[in-house]
């Protein structure tokens, strides 16, 4: 899969989880489902950093993800 596919799959997963801005989740909650869809770990990392650069999420310490904007 491409990084664009990984980004789309990541956003879809976050929507399905009904994640709200300000809520922190473990990256372990998103990694296995995405890998299970055939997305490489590199593509997931690229998607995470892309969304961070866009200001959609933050990646604080402790393998966490925080949504910053409504999806």
């Amino acid at each position: 899969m491409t990084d664009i596919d990984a980004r789309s799959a990541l956003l879809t997963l976050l929507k399905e989880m009904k994640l709200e801005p300000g809520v922190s989740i473990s990256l372990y909650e998103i990694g296995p489902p995405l890998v299970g869809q055939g997305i490489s770990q590199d593509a997931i990392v690229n998607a995470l950093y892309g969304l961070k650069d866009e200001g959609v999420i933050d990646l604080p310490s402790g393998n966490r993800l925080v949504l910053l904007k409504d999806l």
Side-chain angles (χ1 to χ4, degrees):
M1 285 201 159
T2 66
D3 289 348
I4 294 171
D5 295 335
R7 182 185 188 281
S8 177
L10 175 56
L11 288 171
T12 298
L13 178 61
L14 295 176
K15 288 177 188 175
E16 289 171 354
M17 295 174 77
K18 299 182 186 340
L19 188 63
E20 296 187 14
V23 176
S24 172
I25 62 167
S26 170
L27 291 177
Y28 297 113
E29 293 182 60
I30 62 168
L34 295 176
V35 170
Q37 293 178 38
I39 301 170
S40 73
Q41 290 180 5
D42 287 340
I44 294 168
V45 169
N46 290 339
L48 287 168
Y49 280 108
L51 290 172
K52 181 179 180 185
D53 290 345
E54 294 170 24
V56 176
I57 64 168
D58 189 22
L59 299 169
S61 63
N63 288 322
R64 308 292 297 173
L65 176 152
V66 177
L67 186 64
L68 300 176
K69 298 179 178 180
D70 285 320
L71 297 178

